[in-house]
Amino acid sequence: MSKVNGKEVPRGLELGLAGCHVCEKVSPVAEVHCPRCGTHLHMRKPDSITRTLALLIAAAVMYVPANLLPILTSRELGISTESTIIAGMVEFWNTGAYPIALVIFTASILIPLLKIVALLWLCAAAKGLVPHSAKLLGKVYWVTELLGRWSMVDIFVVAILVAMVQLGNYMVITPGSGALAFAGVVMLTMFAAMSFDPKLLWDQLEREEEMSTAQPLPESE
Amino acid sequence: MRTRLSILTWPEPKGGPHRAICHYCDTVHVADPIAEGSRANCVLCGATLFQNRPASLVRVTSFSLTALLLMIVVHTAPFVDMDAAGLRTELTLPGAARALIDEGTPLVGLGVALFTIITPLILAGGLVYVCAPLIFGRLAPGAMFVTRWMSRSEPWNMIEVFLLGVLVSLLKLGKVADLHFGIGFWAFAGLMVCMAAAVAAIDKRELWDRLEVAKGQ
Ligand SMILES: [Zn+2]
């Protein structure tokens, strides 16, 4: 039970009720499948923390080649130049296109990194390893889910440049191996965010509250 | 009994009490019907539980139908023409995905096709297929199956991100070539607006309540 304005509000966990992930109908979790849409019912997303962590580790490993390998190669008058995500951003910055440089920096470098850190923090908080406000971290999770897709912008830029710059001997752009690694990072962090269950943050909060009421510390008296 | 009123009001499925569980904090609420244009929030954490969107079915159908029509334009008309070094190249939406497949990164190319072509098509087509018959209180064959796949594919619809990609690329190319915007570009901007409006026009809970009521008739 959680308390709102002194009134106790029930949680699904206590009542054995689960909301369907697909159609949102609330049913007893003992029914196994949602009576409305047939989706498997879960009290919490299955193996939420383990899956999220595994996907995050994979994303963090991929983040290295994604930034070190070239995402595109341009061959201009016979001279090949390889370009990484960071090099593309620096080029915009040096030519004075600061807003675009900032957009690329935010979408390609900052968001994937912040997503990995934020989800690691959420996992640690759900395990009770760091003190947390479940309400605030719920919002962090919401933002993490919302922003993830925007990191894909650099992949689309590569696709568009490769499609358009096919000018025979004058200039040709081809995609680099970094593009696959980078698309992998974005997809892995999206799957990681989907695997995380924010209800676990409140479960942990409830456990902490029970502990503190069951064994009051002498200092607090 | 089928009444035209089903267009206007969010019907309540049989049985009950109807409940809503907060996605974030797991608090159980009694889901009483709410007025059109308003939203229900979680008493504990404040997250949105569900919203009653005005004229939801008519809006979702017209926006997703417009999106489908715009897709035809987007797939046939070029986004941008580029004149450089005496050569003319043009960008189309399928062309961007195909370029990656042809140039040695087929997996990334398939991803681009999935995020910019296949997912928007599943969403807009699915919404028309499911919601248009629901205006008349009817259930299209397989409507529940289609709706399940729509919710699965929704996070992977990235047309607004692709539009940002087009703008960034044009700024990159603008220095070295002459660029001309084509009809495809404006159609794509319209498609982005229509897709966003269509997805936001109906709450998932309302759609499923309507499907359940139509099935029971
Ligand atoms: Zn809540």
Side-chain angles (χ1 to χ4, degrees), chain B residues 39-127:
Chain B
R39 77 170 70 200
N41 289 85
C42 173
V43 289
L44 182 60
C45 75
T48 304
L49 292 173
F50 52 89
Q51 309 182 53
N52 189 350
R53 293 296 173 64
S56 50
L57 285 181
V58 177
R59 282 202 305 155
V60 78
T61 308
S62 41
F63 277 121
S64 38
L65 204 56
T66 315
L68 281 180
L69 294 174
L70 286 171
M71 273 181 203
I72 300 172
V73 182
V74 165
H75 281 256
T76 49
F79 273 49
V80 191
D81 291 321
M82 183 177 84
D83 289 317
L87 287 165
R88 160 165 280 232
T89 54
E90 52 179 41
L91 172 71
T92 58
L93 184 60
R98 205 167 45 227
L100 289 183
I101 296 172
D102 292 346
E103 298 295 330
T105 46
L107 279 177
V108 188
L110 288 176
V112 170
L114 185 71
F115 305 144
T116 61
I117 301 172
I118 299 166
T119 310
L121 191 65
I122 292 175
L123 274 180
L127 283 173

Coordinates of all heavy atoms in Angstrom, one line a residue, chain B residues 39-127:
Chain B
R39 N -8.1 14.4 -19.3 CA -7.2 13.2 -19.1 C -7.3 12.8 -17.6 O -7.6 13.6 -16.8 CB -5.8 13.5 -19.5 CG -5.0 14.4 -18.5 CD -3.5 14.5 -18.8 NE -3.3 15.3 -20.0 CZ -2.2 15.2 -20.7 NH1 -1.2 14.3 -20.4 NH2 -2.0 16.0 -21.8
A40 N -7.0 11.5 -17.4 CA -7.0 11.0 -16.0 C -5.5 10.8 -15.7 O -4.7 10.2 -16.4 CB -7.7 9.6 -16.0
N41 N -5.1 11.2 -14.5 CA -3.7 11.1 -14.0 C -3.7 10.2 -12.8 O -4.6 10.1 -12.0 CB -3.2 12.5 -13.6 CG -2.9 13.3 -14.9 OD1 -3.8 14.0 -15.4 ND2 -1.7 13.3 -15.4
C42 N -2.5 9.6 -12.6 CA -2.3 8.7 -11.5 C -2.3 9.5 -10.2 O -1.6 10.6 -10.1 CB -0.9 8.0 -11.6 SG -0.4 7.1 -10.2
V43 N -3.0 9.1 -9.1 CA -3.0 9.8 -7.9 C -1.7 9.8 -7.2 O -1.4 10.7 -6.4 CB -4.1 9.3 -6.9 CG1 -5.5 9.6 -7.5 CG2 -4.0 7.8 -6.7
L44 N -0.9 8.8 -7.4 CA 0.4 8.7 -6.7 C 1.5 9.4 -7.4 O 2.2 10.2 -6.7 CB 0.7 7.2 -6.4 CG 2.0 6.9 -5.6 CD1 1.9 7.5 -4.2 CD2 2.3 5.4 -5.5
C45 N 1.7 9.1 -8.6 CA 2.9 9.7 -9.3 C 2.6 10.7 -10.3 O 3.5 11.4 -10.9 CB 3.8 8.6 -9.9 SG 3.1 7.9 -11.4
G46 N 1.3 10.9 -10.7 CA 1.0 12.0 -11.6 C 1.0 11.6 -13.1 O 0.7 12.5 -13.9
A47 N 1.5 10.4 -13.4 CA 1.6 10.1 -14.8 C 0.2 10.0 -15.4 O -0.7 9.7 -14.8 CB 2.3 8.7 -14.9
T48 N 0.2 10.2 -16.8 CA -1.1 10.1 -17.5 C -1.6 8.6 -17.5 O -0.8 7.7 -17.9 CB -1.0 10.6 -18.9 OG1 -0.5 11.9 -18.8 CG2 -2.3 10.6 -19.6
L49 N -2.8 8.4 -17.1 CA -3.4 7.0 -17.2 C -4.0 6.8 -18.6 O -3.8 5.9 -19.3 CB -4.4 6.8 -16.1 CG -3.9 6.7 -14.7 CD1 -5.1 6.7 -13.7 CD2 -3.0 5.5 -14.5
F50 N -4.9 7.7 -18.9 CA -5.6 7.7 -20.2 C -6.2 9.0 -20.5 O -6.3 9.9 -19.6 CB -6.6 6.6 -20.3 CG -7.6 6.6 -19.3 CD1 -8.8 7.3 -19.4 CD2 -7.5 5.9 -18.1 CE1 -9.8 7.3 -18.4 CE2 -8.4 5.8 -17.1 CZ -9.6 6.6 -17.2
Q51 N -6.5 9.3 -21.8 CA -7.1 10.5 -22.2 C -8.3 10.3 -23.1 O -8.3 9.3 -23.9 CB -6.1 11.4 -23.0 CG -4.7 11.5 -22.3 CD -3.8 12.4 -23.1 OE1 -4.1 13.5 -23.5 NE2 -2.6 11.8 -23.4
N52 N -9.3 11.1 -23.0 CA -10.5 11.0 -23.9 C -10.3 12.1 -24.9 O -10.6 13.2 -24.7 CB -11.7 11.2 -23.1 CG -13.0 10.8 -23.9 OD1 -12.9 10.7 -25.1 ND2 -14.1 10.7 -23.2
R53 N -9.9 11.6 -26.1 CA -9.7 12.6 -27.2 C -11.0 12.9 -28.0 O -11.7 11.9 -28.3 CB -8.6 12.0 -28.2 CG -7.3 11.9 -27.6 CD -6.8 13.3 -27.3 NE -5.6 13.5 -26.5 CZ -4.4 13.1 -26.9 NH1 -4.2 12.4 -27.9 NH2 -3.3 13.5 -26.2
P54 N -11.3 14.2 -28.3 CA -12.5 14.5 -28.9 C -12.6 14.0 -30.4 O -11.5 14.0 -31.1 CB -12.6 16.0 -28.9 CG -11.3 16.5 -28.5 CD -10.5 15.3 -27.9
A55 N -13.7 13.5 -30.8 CA -14.0 13.0 -32.2 C -12.8 12.0 -32.6 O -12.4 12.1 -33.8 CB -14.1 14.1 -33.2
S56 N -12.4 11.2 -31.7 CA -11.2 10.4 -31.9 C -11.2 9.5 -33.2 O -10.3 9.6 -34.0 CB -11.0 9.5 -30.7 OG -12.1 8.8 -30.4
L57 N -12.3 8.8 -33.5 CA -12.3 7.9 -34.6 C -12.3 8.6 -35.9 O -11.6 8.2 -36.9 CB -13.5 7.0 -34.5 CG -13.5 5.8 -33.5 CD1 -14.8 5.0 -33.6 CD2 -12.3 4.9 -33.7
V58 N -13.1 9.7 -36.0 CA -13.1 10.4 -37.3 C -11.7 11.1 -37.5 O -11.2 11.0 -38.7 CB -14.2 11.5 -37.2 CG1 -14.2 12.3 -38.5 CG2 -15.6 10.8 -37.0
R59 N -11.1 11.6 -36.5 CA -9.8 12.2 -36.7 C -8.8 11.2 -37.0 O -7.9 11.5 -37.9 CB -9.4 13.0 -35.4 CG -10.2 14.4 -35.3 CD -9.4 15.3 -34.4 NE -9.2 14.7 -33.1 CZ -8.3 15.1 -32.3 NH1 -7.4 16.0 -32.7 NH2 -8.1 14.5 -31.1
V60 N -8.7 10.1 -36.3 CA -7.7 9.1 -36.6 C -7.8 8.6 -38.0 O -6.8 8.4 -38.7 CB -7.7 8.0 -35.5 CG1 -8.7 7.0 -35.7 CG2 -6.3 7.3 -35.5
T61 N -9.1 8.4 -38.4 CA -9.3 7.9 -39.8 C -8.8 8.9 -40.9 O -8.1 8.5 -41.8 CB -10.7 7.5 -40.0 OG1 -11.1 6.6 -38.9 CG2 -10.9 6.8 -41.3
S62 N -9.3 10.1 -40.7 CA -8.9 11.1 -41.7 C -7.4 11.4 -41.8 O -6.8 11.5 -42.8 CB -9.8 12.4 -41.6 OG -9.9 12.8 -40.3
F63 N -6.8 11.5 -40.6 CA -5.4 11.8 -40.6 C -4.6 10.6 -41.2 O -3.6 10.8 -42.0 CB -4.8 12.1 -39.2 CG -5.0 13.5 -38.8 CD1 -5.8 13.8 -37.7 CD2 -4.5 14.6 -39.5 CE1 -6.0 15.1 -37.3 CE2 -4.7 15.9 -39.2 CZ -5.5 16.2 -38.0
S64 N -4.9 9.4 -40.9 CA -4.1 8.2 -41.4 C -4.4 8.0 -42.8 O -3.6 7.6 -43.6 CB -4.3 7.0 -40.5 OG -5.6 6.8 -40.1
L65 N -5.7 8.3 -43.3 CA -6.0 8.2 -44.7 C -5.2 9.2 -45.5 O -4.6 8.9 -46.6 CB -7.5 8.5 -44.9 CG -8.1 7.9 -46.2 CD1 -7.9 6.4 -46.3 CD2 -9.6 8.2 -46.2
T66 N -5.1 10.5 -45.0 CA -4.3 11.5 -45.6 C -2.8 11.0 -45.7 O -2.1 11.2 -46.7 CB -4.4 12.8 -44.9 OG1 -5.7 13.1 -44.6 CG2 -3.8 14.0 -45.7
A67 N -2.3 10.5 -44.6 CA -1.0 10.0 -44.5 C -0.7 8.9 -45.6 O 0.3 9.0 -46.3 CB -0.7 9.4 -43.1
L68 N -1.6 8.0 -45.8 CA -1.5 7.0 -46.8 C -1.4 7.6 -48.2 O -0.5 7.2 -49.0 CB -2.7 6.0 -46.8 CG -2.6 4.9 -45.7 CD1 -3.9 4.1 -45.8 CD2 -1.4 4.1 -45.8
L69 N -2.2 8.6 -48.5 CA -2.2 9.3 -49.8 C -0.9 10.0 -50.0 O -0.2 10.0 -51.0 CB -3.3 10.3 -49.9 CG -4.7 9.6 -50.0 CD1 -5.8 10.7 -49.9 CD2 -4.9 8.7 -51.2
L70 N -0.4 10.7 -48.9 CA 0.9 11.4 -49.0 C 2.1 10.4 -49.2 O 3.0 10.7 -49.9 CB 1.1 12.2 -47.7 CG 0.3 13.5 -47.6 CD1 0.5 14.1 -46.2 CD2 0.7 14.5 -48.7
M71 N 1.9 9.2 -48.7 CA 3.0 8.2 -48.9 C 3.2 7.9 -50.3 O 4.3 7.6 -50.8 CB 2.6 6.9 -48.1 CG 3.1 6.9 -46.7 SD 2.6 5.4 -45.9 CE 2.6 5.9 -44.2
I72 N 2.1 7.9 -51.1 CA 2.2 7.6 -52.5 C 3.1 8.7 -53.2 O 4.0 8.4 -54.0 CB 0.8 7.6 -53.2 CG1 -0.1 6.5 -52.6 CG2 0.9 7.4 -54.7 CD1 -1.5 6.5 -53.0
V73 N 2.8 9.9 -52.8 CA 3.6 11.0 -53.3 C 5.1 10.9 -52.9 O 6.0 11.0 -53.7 CB 3.0 12.4 -52.9 CG1 3.8 13.6 -53.5 CG2 1.5 12.5 -53.2
V74 N 5.2 10.6 -51.6 CA 6.6 10.6 -51.0 C 7.4 9.5 -51.7 O 8.6 9.6 -51.9 CB 6.5 10.3 -49.5 CG1 7.8 9.9 -49.0 CG2 6.0 11.6 -48.8
H75 N 6.8 8.4 -52.1 CA 7.5 7.3 -52.7 C 7.8 7.5 -54.2 O 8.6 6.8 -54.8 CB 6.8 6.0 -52.5 CG 7.0 5.4 -51.1 ND1 7.8 4.4 -50.8 CD2 6.5 5.9 -49.9 CE1 7.9 4.2 -49.5 NE2 7.1 5.1 -49.0
T76 N 7.1 8.4 -54.8 CA 7.3 8.6 -56.3 C 8.0 9.9 -56.6 O 8.8 9.9 -57.5 CB 5.9 8.5 -57.0 OG1 5.0 9.3 -56.3 CG2 5.4 7.1 -57.0
A77 N 7.6 11.0 -55.9 CA 8.2 12.3 -56.3 C 9.5 12.4 -55.6 O 9.7 12.0 -54.4 CB 7.3 13.4 -55.9
P78 N 10.5 13.0 -56.2 CA 11.8 13.3 -55.6 C 11.7 14.3 -54.4 O 11.0 15.3 -54.5 CB 12.7 13.7 -56.7 CG 11.8 14.2 -57.7 CD 10.6 13.5 -57.6
F79 N 12.5 14.1 -53.4 CA 12.6 15.1 -52.3 C 13.4 16.3 -52.7 O 13.0 17.4 -52.5 CB 13.5 14.4 -51.1 CG 12.7 13.6 -50.2 CD1 11.8 12.7 -50.6 CD2 12.9 13.8 -48.8 CE1 11.1 11.9 -49.7 CE2 12.2 13.0 -47.9 CZ 11.3 12.1 -48.4
V80 N 14.6 16.0 -53.3 CA 15.5 17.1 -53.6 C 16.2 16.7 -54.9 O 16.5 15.5 -55.1 CB 16.6 17.2 -52.5 CG1 17.4 18.5 -52.7 CG2 16.0 17.2 -51.1
D81 N 16.4 17.7 -55.8 CA 17.3 17.5 -56.9 C 18.6 18.2 -56.6 O 18.6 19.3 -56.0 CB 16.7 18.2 -58.2 CG 15.5 17.5 -58.6 OD1 15.4 16.3 -58.6 OD2 14.5 18.3 -59.0
M82 N 19.7 17.6 -57.1 CA 21.0 18.2 -56.8 C 21.8 18.3 -58.2 O 21.9 17.3 -58.9 CB 21.8 17.4 -55.8 CG 23.1 18.0 -55.5 SD 24.0 17.0 -54.2 CE 24.8 15.8 -55.2
D83 N 22.3 19.5 -58.5 CA 23.1 19.7 -59.6 C 24.5 19.9 -59.1 O 24.8 20.9 -58.4 CB 22.7 20.9 -60.4 CG 21.3 20.7 -61.1 OD1 21.2 19.5 -61.7 OD2 20.5 21.5 -61.1
A84 N 25.4 19.0 -59.5 CA 26.8 19.2 -59.2 C 27.7 18.6 -60.2 O 27.4 17.5 -60.7 CB 27.1 18.5 -57.8
A85 N 28.8 19.2 -60.6 CA 29.7 18.7 -61.6 C 29.1 18.3 -62.9 O 29.4 17.3 -63.4 CB 30.5 17.5 -60.9
G86 N 28.0 19.0 -63.2 CA 27.4 18.8 -64.5 C 26.5 17.5 -64.4 O 25.9 17.1 -65.4
L87 N 26.3 16.9 -63.3 CA 25.5 15.8 -63.1 C 24.3 16.1 -62.2 O 24.3 17.0 -61.4 CB 26.2 14.6 -62.4 CG 27.3 13.9 -63.3 CD1 28.2 13.1 -62.4 CD2 26.6 13.0 -64.3
R88 N 23.2 15.4 -62.5 CA 22.0 15.7 -61.7 C 21.6 14.4 -60.9 O 21.5 13.3 -61.5 CB 20.8 16.1 -62.6 CG 19.4 16.0 -62.1 CD 18.4 16.7 -62.9 NE 18.5 18.1 -62.5 CZ 17.4 18.8 -62.2 NH1 16.2 18.3 -62.2 NH2 17.5 20.1 -61.8
T89 N 21.5 14.5 -59.6 CA 21.0 13.3 -58.9 C 19.8 13.8 -58.1 O 19.6 14.9 -57.7 CB 22.1 12.8 -57.9 OG1 22.5 13.8 -57.1 CG2 23.2 12.1 -58.6
E90 N 18.9 12.8 -57.8 CA 17.8 13.2 -56.9 C 17.6 12.1 -55.8 O 18.1 11.0 -55.9 CB 16.5 13.2 -57.8 CG 16.2 12.0 -58.6 CD 14.9 12.2 -59.4 OE1 14.7 13.3 -60.0 OE2 14.2 11.2 -59.5
L91 N 17.0 12.6 -54.7 CA 16.8 11.8 -53.6 C 15.3 11.4 -53.5 O 14.4 12.2 -53.5 CB 17.2 12.6 -52.3 CG 16.9 11.9 -51.0 CD1 17.8 10.7 -50.8 CD2 17.0 12.8 -49.8
T92 N 15.1 10.1 -53.3 CA 13.7 9.6 -53.0 C 13.8 8.8 -51.7 O 14.9 8.4 -51.3 CB 13.1 8.7 -54.1 OG1 14.0 7.6 -54.2 CG2 13.0 9.4 -55.4
L93 N 12.7 8.6 -51.0 CA 12.7 7.9 -49.8 C 13.2 6.4 -50.0 O 14.1 6.0 -49.3 CB 11.3 7.9 -49.1 CG 11.2 7.3 -47.7 CD1 12.1 8.0 -46.7 CD2 9.8 7.4 -47.3
P94 N 12.7 5.7 -50.9 CA 13.2 4.3 -51.1 C 14.6 4.3 -51.6 O 15.4 3.4 -51.3 CB 12.3 3.7 -52.2 CG 11.2 4.6 -52.4 CD 11.5 6.0 -51.8
G95 N 15.0 5.4 -52.3 CA 16.4 5.5 -52.8 C 17.4 5.6 -51.7 O 18.5 5.0 -51.8
A96 N 17.1 6.2 -50.6 CA 18.0 6.3 -49.4 C 18.3 4.9 -48.8 O 19.5 4.6 -48.6 CB 17.5 7.2 -48.4
A97 N 17.3 4.1 -48.7 CA 17.4 2.8 -48.1 C 18.2 1.9 -49.1 O 19.1 1.2 -48.7 CB 16.1 2.2 -47.7
R98 N 17.8 2.0 -50.4 CA 18.4 1.2 -51.4 C 19.9 1.5 -51.6 O 20.7 0.6 -51.8 CB 17.7 1.3 -52.7 CG 17.8 0.1 -53.6 CD 16.9 0.1 -54.8 NE 16.9 1.4 -55.4 CZ 15.8 2.1 -55.7 NH1 14.6 1.6 -55.4 NH2 15.8 3.3 -56.3
A99 N 20.3 2.7 -51.4 CA 21.7 3.1 -51.6 C 22.6 2.4 -50.6 O 23.6 1.8 -50.9 CB 21.9 4.6 -51.4
L100 N 22.1 2.3 -49.3 CA 22.9 1.6 -48.3 C 23.0 0.1 -48.6 O 24.0 -0.6 -48.4 CB 22.3 1.8 -46.9 CG 22.4 3.2 -46.3 CD1 21.8 3.2 -44.9 CD2 23.8 3.6 -46.3
I101 N 21.8 -0.5 -49.1 CA 21.8 -1.9 -49.4 C 22.8 -2.2 -50.6 O 23.6 -3.1 -50.5 CB 20.4 -2.4 -49.8 CG1 19.5 -2.2 -48.5 CG2 20.4 -3.8 -50.3 CD1 18.0 -2.5 -48.8
D102 N 22.8 -1.3 -51.6 CA 23.7 -1.5 -52.8 C 25.1 -1.3 -52.5 O 26.0 -1.9 -53.1 CB 23.2 -0.6 -53.9 CG 21.9 -0.9 -54.5 OD1 21.4 -2.1 -54.2 OD2 21.3 -0.1 -55.2
E103 N 25.4 -0.4 -51.5 CA 26.8 0.0 -51.3 C 27.5 -0.7 -50.1 O 28.4 -0.3 -49.5 CB 26.9 1.5 -51.0 CG 26.4 2.4 -52.1 CD 27.3 2.3 -53.4 OE1 28.5 2.0 -53.2 OE2 26.8 2.5 -54.5
G104 N 27.0 -1.9 -49.8 CA 27.7 -2.8 -48.9 C 27.3 -2.8 -47.4 O 28.0 -3.4 -46.6
T105 N 26.2 -2.1 -47.1 CA 25.7 -2.2 -45.7 C 24.2 -2.5 -45.7 O 23.4 -1.7 -45.3 CB 25.9 -0.8 -44.9 OG1 25.5 0.2 -45.7 CG2 27.3 -0.6 -44.5
P106 N 23.9 -3.8 -46.2 CA 22.5 -4.2 -46.4 C 21.7 -4.1 -45.1 O 20.5 -3.7 -45.1 CB 22.6 -5.6 -46.9 CG 24.0 -6.1 -46.6 CD 24.8 -4.9 -46.5
L107 N 22.3 -4.5 -43.9 CA 21.6 -4.5 -42.6 C 21.1 -3.1 -42.3 O 20.0 -2.9 -41.9 CB 22.5 -5.1 -41.5 CG 22.6 -6.6 -41.5 CD1 23.5 -7.0 -40.3 CD2 21.2 -7.2 -41.2
V108 N 22.0 -2.1 -42.4 CA 21.6 -0.8 -42.1 C 20.6 -0.3 -43.0 O 19.6 0.4 -42.6 CB 22.9 0.2 -42.1 CG1 22.5 1.5 -41.6 CG2 24.0 -0.4 -41.3
G109 N 20.7 -0.6 -44.3 CA 19.7 -0.3 -45.3 C 18.4 -0.8 -45.0 O 17.3 -0.1 -45.1
L110 N 18.3 -2.1 -44.6 CA 17.0 -2.7 -44.2 C 16.4 -2.0 -43.0 O 15.2 -1.7 -42.9 CB 17.2 -4.2 -43.9 CG 17.4 -5.1 -45.1 CD1 17.7 -6.5 -44.7 CD2 16.2 -5.0 -46.0
G111 N 17.3 -1.6 -42.0 CA 16.9 -0.8 -40.9 C 16.2 0.5 -41.3 O 15.1 0.8 -40.8
V112 N 16.9 1.2 -42.2 CA 16.3 2.5 -42.7 C 15.0 2.3 -43.3 O 14.0 3.0 -43.1 CB 17.3 3.2 -43.6 CG1 16.7 4.4 -44.3 CG2 18.6 3.6 -42.9
A113 N 14.9 1.2 -44.2 CA 13.6 0.9 -44.8 C 12.5 0.6 -43.7 O 11.4 1.0 -43.9 CB 13.7 -0.3 -45.7
L114 N 12.9 -0.1 -42.7 CA 12.0 -0.5 -41.6 C 11.5 0.7 -40.9 O 10.3 0.9 -40.7 CB 12.7 -1.4 -40.7 CG 11.8 -2.0 -39.6 CD1 10.8 -3.1 -40.1 CD2 12.7 -2.7 -38.5
F115 N 12.4 1.7 -40.6 CA 12.0 2.8 -39.7 C 11.3 3.9 -40.5 O 10.5 4.7 -40.0 CB 13.3 3.4 -39.1 CG 14.1 2.5 -38.3 CD1 15.5 2.6 -38.3 CD2 13.5 1.5 -37.6 CE1 16.2 1.7 -37.6 CE2 14.3 0.6 -36.9 CZ 15.6 0.7 -36.9
T116 N 11.5 4.0 -41.8 CA 11.0 5.1 -42.6 C 9.9 4.7 -43.6 O 9.1 5.5 -44.0 CB 12.0 5.9 -43.4 OG1 12.6 5.0 -44.3 CG2 13.1 6.4 -42.5
I117 N 9.8 3.4 -43.9 CA 8.8 3.0 -44.9 C 7.8 2.0 -44.4 O 6.6 2.2 -44.4 CB 9.5 2.4 -46.2 CG1 10.5 3.4 -46.8 CG2 8.5 1.9 -47.2 CD1 11.3 2.9 -47.9
I118 N 8.4 0.9 -43.8 CA 7.5 -0.2 -43.4 C 6.7 0.1 -42.2 O 5.5 0.0 -42.2 CB 8.4 -1.5 -43.2 CG1 9.1 -1.9 -44.5 CG2 7.5 -2.7 -42.7 CD1 10.2 -2.9 -44.4
T119 N 7.3 0.6 -41.1 CA 6.6 1.0 -39.9 C 5.5 2.0 -40.1 O 4.4 1.9 -39.7 CB 7.6 1.4 -38.8 OG1 8.6 0.4 -38.7 CG2 6.9 1.5 -37.5
P120 N 5.8 3.2 -40.8 CA 4.8 4.1 -41.1 C 3.6 3.5 -41.9 O 2.5 3.9 -41.6 CB 5.5 5.2 -41.9 CG 6.9 5.1 -41.6 CD 7.1 3.7 -41.3
L121 N 3.9 2.6 -42.8 CA 2.9 2.0 -43.6 C 2.0 1.1 -42.7 O 0.8 1.1 -42.8 CB 3.5 1.2 -44.7 CG 2.6 0.7 -45.8 CD1 2.0 1.9 -46.6 CD2 3.3 -0.2 -46.8
I122 N 2.6 0.3 -41.8 CA 1.9 -0.5 -40.9 C 1.0 0.3 -40.0 O -0.2 0.0 -39.9 CB 2.8 -1.4 -40.0 CG1 3.6 -2.4 -40.8 CG2 2.0 -2.1 -38.9 CD1 4.6 -3.2 -40.1
L123 N 1.5 1.4 -39.5 CA 0.7 2.3 -38.6 C -0.4 3.0 -39.3 O -1.6 2.8 -38.9 CB 1.7 3.4 -38.0 CG 2.4 3.0 -36.8 CD1 3.3 4.2 -36.3 CD2 1.5 2.6 -35.7
A124 N -0.2 3.7 -40.4 CA -1.2 4.4 -41.1 C -2.2 3.4 -41.7 O -3.5 3.6 -41.5 CB -0.6 5.3 -42.2
G125 N -1.8 2.4 -42.4 CA -2.7 1.4 -43.0 C -3.5 0.7 -41.9 O -4.7 0.6 -42.1
G126 N -2.9 0.3 -40.9 CA -3.5 -0.4 -39.8 C -4.6 0.5 -39.1 O -5.7 0.0 -38.9
L127 N -4.3 1.8 -38.9 CA -5.2 2.7 -38.3 C -6.5 2.9 -39.1 O -7.6 2.8 -38.6 CB -4.6 4.0 -38.0 CG -3.7 4.0 -36.7 CD1 -3.0 5.4 -36.6 CD2 -4.5 3.8 -35.4

